[in-house]
Amino acid sequence: MSQNGVPDFAELLGSAKHTAVHLEMRDVYSVGNETESFGEFLRTGQTDLDPDSSFWQGWTPLVRDTVARGVRMRRARIVSEPVTDYIRWEHALTPVNIAVGEEVRWLPRRLASDIALPGNDLWLIDDRRVMFHWFTGDGDWAGHEFTQDQDVVKMVVSAFENVWERAIDHEKFCI
C-alpha cells in the first residue's frame, strides 16, 4: 500500500475481481518511459508489437494476470480528429493491448459532446473504486487521486458506459 492508504496502481488492478475500465481523454501524453518508443515511431512508423519485450514489461504481465483471474478489462479513448501523432502511435500499439486481453474502443470527440465526463483520465475497479490520473499541460504525470465516494463512482460508471456504448471497436476505427 502506498502512502496514506492509497493503493499503488498494481495493487489497485490486483484487487479487481470483476471489472477494470480505463478512460483516456487526452490527445497527447508525454510520460517519460514512452519517449524513446514514440520517437522511433515518428522517425520510422514502426512500433513494438512484442508483448514480451522490455517496453511492455510494466504492463502486459499485469493485464495477463488480471484477465486470468476472470476480470474483464475495457479501455475507451476519446480522441480529436484528425488524430495527433501520439494517437496514431497508440492506435498502432493497441494490438498488444488486445492480444493480452484488453478490449479497446475509440470515440471521436465530436460524438461525446452530450456525455457528462469526469475532468481527468481514470481507472474504475469493480464499479467501486476510482483512481484519477492527473497530467501536466504537456502530458507528463502530475499525480493521482483515489476515491470510493459513491457519488463520484456513480458518475464515473455512467460516463464510461455512455462512452463505451458509442465508441468504435479498435478493429473498425480507422485513423
Side-chain angles (χ1 to χ4, degrees), residues 20-24 74-77 121-124 133 160:
V21 303
H22 187 33
L23 181 60
E24 297 177 32
R74 297 182 292 161
R75 177 187 301 259
R77 293 174 169 146
D121 288 11
L122 60 92
W123 278 92
L124 169 66
H133 292 290
F160 184 85

Side-chain angles (χ1 to χ4, degrees), residues 3 14 17 24 27 30 34 38 63 83 94 96 101 113 118 135 138 141-142 144 162:
Q3 296 178 4
K17 294 184 180 5
E24 297 177 32
D27 288 316
S30 181
E34 297 177 343
F38 180 50
V63 175
V83 299
T94 298
V96 173
S113 296
F135 295 90
D138 293 334
W141 292 110
H144 63 271
N162 282 318

Side-chain angles (χ1 to χ4, degrees), residues 3-125:
Q3 296 178 4
N4 302 323
V6 176
D8 70 21
F9 181 73
E11 291 170 326
L12 184 68
L13 195 57
S15 74
K17 294 184 180 5
H18 307 287
T19 60
V21 303
H22 187 33
L23 181 60
E24 297 177 32
M25 298 180 287
R26 295 182 56 93
D27 288 316
V28 175
Y29 295 86
S30 181
V31 294
N33 64 333
E34 297 177 343
T35 304
E36 186 176 323
S37 181
F38 180 50
E40 179 71 15
F41 175 76
L42 290 175
R43 286 187 300 281
T44 68
Q46 301 298 308
T47 60
D48 183 347
L49 296 178
D50 176 3
D52 298 315
S53 73
S54 61
F55 175 74
W56 288 100
Q57 282 313 293
W59 183 244
T60 57
L62 286 173
V63 175
R64 286 176 173 146
D65 290 347
T66 303
V67 171
R69 292 193 321 271
V71 175
R72 182 180 183 200
M73 291 188 68
R74 297 182 292 161
R75 177 187 301 259
R77 293 174 169 146
I78 300 173
V79 297
S80 299
E81 293 177 304
V83 299
T84 62
D85 287 339
Y86 186 90
I87 295 301
R88 284 189 318 104
W89 178 63
E90 273 193 331
H91 190 270
L93 289 170
T94 298
V96 173
N97 298 85
I98 293 168
V100 296
E102 287 186 70
E103 300 170 51
V104 180
R105 292 186 181 175
W106 304 80
L107 182 63
R109 194 171 308 282
R110 63 185 163 73
L111 300 178
S113 296
D114 63 342
I115 300 174
L117 296 168
N120 294 290
D121 288 11
L122 60 92
W123 278 92
L124 169 66
I125 306 298

